[in-house]
Amino acid sequence: GYVTKVTGIRPAFPSVTADALSNGADITVRNRSAAPLVIKGYQHEPYLKITDHGVWQNRLSPAVYLNKEQFIDSIPRDVNAQKPPVWVKISSSSAATWHDHRIHWMNVVQPPSVAADPNSPHLIKRWTIPIADGTTKGVIAGTLTWQPEGHLATYLTGGVVALALVVAVVAAFVLRRRRRHAPVATGVQEATPTETGP
């Protein structure tokens, strides 16, 4: 029932896009610029650096180890968010995908609003992930909501119905075009020309 959604990037970074899986398992950020975009970790330390030709990870960021599992795990002793970053290239892509604990519900116990009324939609929280492009600071913003099963079923059913209508309209259009351009049967057989000599 938990639904994660990216709602925008503030301020707008023209070369940067972000999208998250609806179940909150992963978020993907792409940077189509050579200027590095830095994703901040849980202590506002440099966590990831994304450019149009690669992705780097700060080996000393606690987020590197905390994001390996859905539930927070232990981190090595030498990891320190206060130290200067030690960048390690992890990809030649312009996009980074990772599991971020800020965008999903961490507790095994339901939020109070959901526990009180699980059959209604609820806004659980508005989340942000700090980012920086040089001296320009910003955030990737999003929401975490609760959508009860019946509400999701209605949403999905509506989508299926809409898709079926589109398919039906396209099929009818194609069928009409085929009928319009099909040869008309007259019942008269055309004579086959006979080849004659010169």
Side-chain angles (χ1 to χ4, degrees), residues 27-46:
I27 184 168
T28 298
V29 176
R30 183 178 299 276
N31 180 16
R32 295 181 175 85
S33 169
L37 177 78
V38 176
I39 308 294
K40 299 300 183 75
Y42 302 111
Q43 300 178 43
H44 283 252
E45 80 282 5

Side-chain angles (χ1 to χ4, degrees), residues 1 6 13 29 58 61 64 66 68 75 79 88 115 124 144 146 159 161 163 168 170 175 189-190 193 197:
V6 173
F13 290 73
V29 176
N58 175 16
S61 167
V64 171
L66 298 177
K68 287 184 177 181
I75 60 176
V79 170
V88 178
I124 306 302
L144 174 65
W146 169 265
V161 170
L163 179 61
V170 172
L175 185 59
Q189 184 176 357
E190 294 185 5

Side-chain angles (χ1 to χ4, degrees), residues 39-192:
I39 308 294
K40 299 300 183 75
Y42 302 111
Q43 300 178 43
H44 283 252
E45 80 282 5
Y47 164 45
L48 293 172
K49 181 170 63 175
I50 310 169
T51 72
D52 62 355
H53 57 277
V55 178
W56 287 259
Q57 185 175 257
N58 175 16
R59 187 179 62 80
L60 299 182
S61 167
V64 171
Y65 308 92
L66 298 177
N67 290 346
K68 287 184 177 181
E69 303 291 341
Q70 185 165 353
F71 296 98
I72 292 178
D73 201 356
S74 60
I75 60 176
R77 290 184 178 181
D78 64 335
V79 170
N80 191 329
Q82 308 305 318
K83 292 183 178 180
V86 176
W87 295 112
V88 178
K89 190 171 184 179
I90 59 173
S91 169
S92 296
S93 171
S94 62
T97 298
W98 72 97
H99 179 82
D100 199 297
H101 297 296
R102 290 168 284 203
I103 71 172
H104 68 91
W105 183 249
M106 289 287 295
N107 204 322
V108 294
V109 179
Q110 290 181 330
S113 59
V114 175
D117 184 11
N119 296 317
S120 298
H122 298 281
L123 173 64
I124 306 302
K125 67 175 181 176
R126 300 184 187 276
W127 53 263
T128 57
I129 298 175
I131 59 176
D133 182 359
T135 57
T136 304
K137 297 181 180 180
V139 295
I140 300 168
T143 57
L144 174 65
T145 59
W146 169 265
Q147 302 292 349
E149 290 185 12
H151 185 81
L152 284 174
T154 302
Y155 176 81
L156 293 174
T157 301
V160 171
V161 170
L163 179 61
L165 287 174
V166 171
V167 171
V169 170
V170 172
F173 176 76
V174 172
L175 185 59
R176 286 186 64 185
R177 284 184 60 88
R178 285 183 177 176
R179 287 179 177 173
R180 186 178 301 171
H181 293 90
V184 179
T186 61
V188 178
Q189 184 176 357
E190 294 185 5
T192 303

Side-chain angles (χ1 to χ4, degrees), residues 3-8 19-24 103 127 141-145:
V3 178
T4 296
K5 183 180 180 181
V6 173
T7 56
D19 189 33
L21 292 180
S22 61
N23 64 1
I103 71 172
W127 53 263
T143 57
L144 174 65
T145 59

